[in-house]
Amino acid sequence: MSLAIVTGSAQGLGRELAVQLIAKGWTVCGVDFNGKAQEDMVAQFGDSYRAFTGDVSDEQFVQTSVNEISQIGHIDLLINNAGQPSFKVPTAYEGADIDKCLKGLKGMVLWSVATLNATKEEHLKIANVMSTAATRGNANESVYCATKWGERGYTESLKAAYKGSSVKIVGVYPGGIDTNFYVDSHDYVSEDKQHSFMDPAQLAEVILFNLVNEANLTVSDILIERNYR
C-alpha cells in the first residue's frame, strides 16, 4: 500500500491531488479545516481517504494526526499544500493578515518535522506546494510573497539536509489556479481573471506525473505557468 498525506486536501488543488492519487491506488490521509468537505470526501472514497480535520498550524493536532497515520503504514509521500492568501496594498496589511499567511509556512514545517520523525527519515518524499510568488515579488502581495519566500527557503534547506539520502524534497511553484482561493480577493483578482487561470485537475495531473513515477530520478523543482490567451 502506498500512503500519502495531503494538506488542504478537500478543496481546490489539494482535492484534485488527493482524488488523482486515489485513482492511482494510493491511500490518502487528507488534512483540511473544512469539516463538510472532509465528510464529502469520505463519503465518495471510503477507506481510500482518511480524513483529519483541523488547523494545519496546530502543533498538537499535527502530532496526534501523524502518530495515527503512522499506524496505518509507512508514509511514502507528504504534500504540503495548505495555505491562505492575503492580497493588499503594502500599507493596508495588519497583524491578522500576517498570521493568516504564516499558517501555511508554520504548517509546512510542523507536518514535515512530524512526518520525518515518524518515518525515521527514510524513504519519504516531501512535496512543498508554494507559488510563483516564491520566485519573485508581486505588487500588492508583499506579505504573501514574504511567506512564500520563507517556504522556499525552508524547502531548499531540507534539500541540503537530505541530499544523498532516501528522503527526497520537491519544490512545486504553480502560477494562478482557478479555485476558490481568490473568493475573498476579487477586488484584486476578478472572477473573469480567475477563470483564465489554470484548471486544478490539469495542474494536479502535471504535478503527479513528475512527482509519482517509476523512474529512478527525482524532479526536484516543478515550476508551472498558465498559457496566456
Side-chain angles (χ1 to χ4, degrees):
M1 177 186 67
S2 297
L3 182 62
I5 299 172
V6 180
T7 69
S9 60
Q11 305 166 85
L13 175 61
R15 185 184 190 282
E16 291 297 337
L17 290 166
V19 168
Q20 292 184 30
L21 280 170
I22 291 169
K24 293 177 182 292
W26 286 66
T27 296
V28 173
C29 294
V31 184
D32 206 286
F33 64 83
N34 188 322
K36 176 60 169 64
Q38 288 282 63
E39 290 173 5
D40 291 345
M41 290 290 283
V42 171
Q44 183 173 356
F45 297 107
D47 286 344
S48 293
Y49 185 88
R50 315 291 178 90
F52 294 82
T53 304
D55 181 345
V56 294
S57 65
D58 180 331
E59 188 169 13
Q60 185 58 57
F61 168 67
V62 174
Q63 194 58 61
T64 300
S65 298
V66 173
N67 287 345
E68 185 175 337
I69 294 167
S70 64
Q71 299 304 307
I72 299 171
H74 178 83
I75 302 165
D76 303 289
L77 174 65
L78 166 65
I79 302 180
N80 285 307
N81 168 74
Q84 292 180 283
S86 182
F87 303 133
K88 295 185 176 183
V89 298
T91 54
Y93 277 104
E94 300 175 345
D97 303 309
I98 300 169
D99 292 341
K100 180 181 179 183
C101 289
L102 282 173
K103 278 181 177 287
L105 173 56
K106 184 178 180 181
M108 180 181 289
V109 175
L110 290 175
W111 284 93
S112 296
V113 170
T115 306
L116 283 162
N117 283 325
T119 58
K120 298 181 170 57
E121 300 172 277
E122 292 181 342
H123 305 294
L124 170 67
K125 183 172 284 186
I126 298 176
N128 290 334
V129 179
M130 293 166 275
S131 165
T132 51
T135 68
R136 58 178 179 249
N138 295 325
N140 301 336
E141 297 184 19
S142 55
V143 170
Y144 183 67
C145 284
T147 55
K148 293 302 169 184
W149 278 71
E151 291 174 11
R152 181 182 179 185
Y154 181 68
T155 300
E156 293 301 317
S157 294
L158 286 183
K159 287 182 186 179
Y162 290 102
K163 184 177 180 179
S165 76
S166 61
V167 174
K168 306 302 179 186
I169 311 297
V170 180
V172 184
Y173 303 91
I177 312 168
D178 185 7
T179 70
N180 285 334
F181 189 75
Y182 301 97
V183 69
D184 295 324
S185 306
H186 282 151
D187 57 334
Y188 176 56
V189 176
S190 69
E191 279 198 75
D192 285 344
K193 184 176 181 180
Q194 175 192 313
H195 295 323
S196 74
F197 290 170
M198 291 182 286
D199 177 82
Q202 293 179 353
L203 177 57
E205 183 178 357
V206 171
I207 291 171
L208 292 177
F209 176 81
N210 288 277
L211 195 61
V212 180
N213 56 63
E214 298 301 320
N216 184 27
L217 53 81
T218 299
V219 179
S220 61
D221 286 298
I222 307 172
L223 175 64
I224 308 171
E225 296 275 15
R226 74 185 189 273
N227 289 330
Y228 290 83
R229 59 173 190 255

